[in-house]
Amino acid sequence: EEFDGPTQSVKEKLELSNANYRIIYGSDFLHDKIQIDLNAKKIIINGEDIENINIVWYRRWLSSNYRFSKEIELNNYLKNEFEEFSSNFMNYLPTKKWLNYPPYIQPFPSKSIQLKKAIEFELDVPRTVVTNCKLSVLEFFLKNDKDIITKNLSNPFVFKEEGKSYATYTVDVNNEDINDLESDLFFPSIFQRNIEKEMEIRTFYFKGEFFSY
């Protein structure tokens, strides 16, 4: 969390020791460009690869008072999306050691952990990026034969408008969608290569076995 007193004290000590360090705030990703390539296990911030980290200390991330929207339900949805984005970021941060574990590296299997484990065990996982950058989406779009989708990072958002119910869901992304983005930056989102399916099979792993239905 920016302007946190203890963090600034540690920063001063690191500077006195000429340590090679970097401070990353959760709020950075509301104005800095980030790309998390899940398949390549790579994080890029403002064009710079984040790699070869020896140790990470988690202090705070984003102020609990931060509001993504004045609308309560929309704010709660965006908060959940940002938490899942944060889980992806911290799970893929290439560090040798965490000094303390942040709450975003959850003991239960979040979507980010499920994807990470699936890739580690060499299951077929569509090419996937999490980003907030228009250029990153365009590059991903072109590299994947202009056939990609986007969906919720966490859970769908259900809302009502003029008496009708609506919900967010998985949708195709085309060139027009990308060109219509008004800014180079947007809220962190997940994009995947589209997989054409003949049928949909739901599979889960339990105690060493896969079950499908």
Side-chain angles (χ1 to χ4, degrees), residues 14-33:
L14 291 171
E15 289 178 348
L16 287 173
S17 302
N18 293 318
N20 183 11
Y21 73 95
R22 177 171 186 157
I23 297 178
I24 298 175
Y25 303 107
S27 57
D28 290 348
F29 303 122
L30 301 176
H31 52 72
D32 285 354
K33 297 176 182 178

Side-chain angles (χ1 to χ4, degrees), residues 105-163:
I105 297 183
Q106 302 159 340
F108 56 89
S110 65
K111 287 185 178 181
S112 64
I113 293 177
Q114 290 171 356
L115 282 171
K116 184 179 181 181
K117 291 298 181 182
I119 292 169
E120 286 179 0
F121 287 101
E122 299 182 350
L123 298 179
D124 289 334
V125 175
R127 292 177 193 149
T128 306
V129 297
V130 177
T131 187
N132 65 352
C133 175
K134 180 177 181 178
L135 181 58
S136 294
V137 176
L138 180 59
E139 290 176 348
F140 186 71
F141 177 71
L142 296 175
K143 286 180 180 178
N144 288 280
D145 303 318
K146 301 181 180 181
D147 192 13
I148 65 173
I149 61 167
T150 187
K151 57 185 179 181
N152 300 283
L153 274 164
S154 55
N155 297 311
F157 175 47
V158 179
F159 60 98
K160 286 188 176 182
E161 189 74 31
E162 296 182 354

Side-chain angles (χ1 to χ4, degrees), residues 24 43 50 53 56 88-96 98:
I24 298 175
I43 294 178
I50 304 300
I53 300 173
V56 176
N88 276 277
F89 174 75
M90 294 183 190
N91 274 303
Y92 282 90
L93 200 62
T95 180
K96 296 176 183 177
W98 281 93

Side-chain angles (χ1 to χ4, degrees), residues 31-129:
H31 52 72
D32 285 354
K33 297 176 182 178
I34 183 169
Q35 177 179 324
I36 307 171
D37 187 325
L38 275 62
N39 305 82
K41 301 176 183 178
K42 180 185 293 187
I43 294 178
I44 302 172
I45 300 176
N46 290 332
E48 177 188 354
D49 284 9
I50 304 300
E51 54 189 358
N52 299 325
I53 300 173
N54 289 320
I55 192 167
V56 176
W57 173 52
Y58 172 82
R59 167 62 183 166
R60 290 181 177 175
W61 191 233
L62 188 68
S63 171
S64 59
N65 295 322
Y66 188 87
R67 293 291 177 265
F68 295 99
S69 172
K70 293 180 180 179
E71 297 180 24
I72 296 176
E73 292 183 356
L74 179 57
N75 181 69
N76 290 337
Y77 167 69
L78 294 175
K79 182 179 179 182
N80 289 336
E81 287 286 283
F82 193 81
E83 287 178 352
E84 189 63 29
F85 156 75
S86 302
S87 178
N88 276 277
F89 174 75
M90 294 183 190
N91 274 303
Y92 282 90
L93 200 62
T95 180
K96 296 176 183 177
K97 181 180 179 180
W98 281 93
L99 193 61
N100 58 328
Y101 279 98
Y104 301 100
I105 297 183
Q106 302 159 340
F108 56 89
S110 65
K111 287 185 178 181
S112 64
I113 293 177
Q114 290 171 356
L115 282 171
K116 184 179 181 181
K117 291 298 181 182
I119 292 169
E120 286 179 0
F121 287 101
E122 299 182 350
L123 298 179
D124 289 334
V125 175
R127 292 177 193 149
T128 306
V129 297

Side-chain angles (χ1 to χ4, degrees), residues 191-203:
F191 300 88
Q192 290 184 312
R193 181 185 177 95
N194 183 39
I195 303 297
E196 295 292 340
K197 57 191 177 185
E198 295 181 4
M199 67 174 65
E200 185 166 317
I201 301 174
R202 298 282 177 168
T203 301

